Amino acid sequence: MAYRTIKGTHDILPEEIHRWQQLENVVHSIAGHYGYNEIRTPVFEDTGLFSKSVGKDTDIVSKEMYSWEDRSGGHLTLRPELTAPVVRSFIQHNLGVRSPLQKLYYIGPLFRRERPQKGRQRQFHQFGVEVFGSEHPEQDVEVIALAHHIFKELGIKDISLKLNSIGSGDCRRNYRSALIKFLTPFKDDLSETSQKRLETNPLRILDTKIPHEKEIIQNAPSISDSWTDEDKSHFESVQSLLSGLNIPYELDEHLVRGLDYYTRTTFEFVSEDLGAQDAVCGGGRYDNLVEMLGGRPTPATGFAAGMERILLSMVTSEQTDGRESIYLINLGKAVTMKALQMAQELRSNGITVYMDTKRRRLKAQLREANRLGTKKAVILGEEELKNNRVQVKDLLKGEQEEIAMDQLAKYFIV
Ligand code: ATP
Ligand code: MG
């Protein structure tokens, strides 16, 4: 075969689409209950948007972006994440003026040139939320509760919430110095990437996946020692509000998240049955990003959840949509027009109608009706057309009855 999907990308086939739609419906419905509005932004943006916000020395920007130079010389990138595009849109359209508390959610594809493996693709999908305008802990908790609610609704078990606070400006600066002081003696044991990060962004070393680096950071100073009083009380409120909602969490001092723009609360939902790629959802507060990208200082918080990983651990309900479906068996060219008209009328009344367009024989159409699992077939042949009647066959019981054509919709709607 000449053309196949590109490495790390997948077709979502009809047999899987039910699960996707189920997940999407839950996201729309629950985000709606929390008063969030959907936002859709383009799949490509100015490269600078990502290098500036996500950070130059992150994996995403340094090696995972699909970027190219446009014919007019602009530098464009397929979006590797959606927070920066949503922030761009928030600033561009003055959304903060329209509503002092903007609550947005999104669903869409993202692109990262990573090594493909289970739960890791080059085109993948996320849903997420971004809220602009509140610096208070109840906003962090509402966002976490929303994610938690969606996972519960989807029947995802064995999922746990990890929580940390990486503080604000002063705290980050102090902790940065403390971490550099602690890590410098181990410099030669660190990977090349971490050695570089020691100078550019030492906090990111805490995010390492290399076992011997993990061992080293076991004894690293704790960020909680660098919290300001405000950071501390903010984080204590987040915790007590979560407890008040009966949302269990574990504190994780090393949870700094991969991207540069976070402040204070950071969190991650991990699913025990996913193996190595266990992070289902990551998020937190990012009070400086709007200003960094040229907007008015605006506190913000949000999360992004990986849909492929959620689907791997989601309990799917049976694919019965409860709709009555009918197979319209039509026999011969002479009845085509009438068959199409009948199908349209039934469909306008909310009934699912399958209709043969391959001009197959009666037996083949019956076989198809059974394969599709329809319970009733309507048979229209030349004889029926002449008498303005059709046969209705109960495919389970095998019984058949004749009814007047103009009674058909009524017959099925009851
Ligand atoms: P990881 O540590 O697994 O690489 P990340 O920190 O890069 O995750 P985020 O950028 O926070 O992930 O994205 C949020 C979520 O999106 C992740 O928790 C994960 O569920 C999902 N995700 C990230 N990258 C991929 C990918 N390449 N393929 C599928 N899902 C992904
Ligand atoms: Mg990653």
Side-chain angles (χ1 to χ4, degrees), residues 65 103 113 131 158 180 237 241 271 301 305 326 348 394 414:
M65 294 204 301
K103 302 184 174 193
R113 201 177 185 293
V131 180
D158 302 324
I180 293 176
S237 294
L241 293 169
S271 167
T301 177
I326 296 170
S348 310
D394 187 315
V414 279

Side-chain angles (χ1 to χ4, degrees), residues 9 11 28 73 80 83 112 123 126 150 158 168 174 211 224 265 269 290 293 295 331 339 354 358 389 394 396 402 406:
T9 71
D11 296 317
H28 288 301
T83 299
R112 293 184 194 173
Q123 174 171 343
Q126 287 182 344
I150 289 177
D158 302 324
S168 48
N174 293 339
S224 54
T265 316
F269 283 91
V290 177
L293 291 176
L331 303 162
Y354 298 100
K358 282 175 70 73
R389 301 182 77 77
D394 187 315
L396 297 178
E402 194 174 82
D406 57 7

Side-chain angles (χ1 to χ4, degrees), residues 60 112 114 119-121 124 126 209 257 279-282 304-306 308-309:
I60 292 182
R112 293 184 194 173
E114 305 191 66
R120 196 177 288 292
Q121 297 170 205
F124 63 101
Q126 287 182 344
K209 287 174 181 141
R257 311 262 320 114
V280 174
C281 168
E308 279 80 2
R309 293 187 197 172

Side-chain angles (χ1 to χ4, degrees), residues 325-376:
S325 71
I326 296 170
Y327 196 96
L328 179 53
I329 295 179
N330 60 112
L331 303 162
K333 255 199 315 198
V335 308
T336 303
M337 171 71 90
K338 191 69 202 172
L340 280 172
Q341 289 169 341
M342 270 168 39
Q344 289 304 93
E345 193 196 346
L346 291 166
R347 289 167 181 155
S348 310
N349 282 292
I351 297 167
T352 302
V353 181
Y354 298 100
M355 184 182 140
D356 181 74
T357 51
K358 282 175 70 73
R359 302 190 177 173
R360 283 178 283 192
R361 292 162 190 272
L362 174 64
K363 240 183 161 169
Q365 292 194 41
L366 271 172
R367 209 180 306 125
E368 179 73 358
N370 281 318
R371 194 185 67 79
L372 290 166
T374 51
K375 295 191 180 77
K376 295 253 165 86

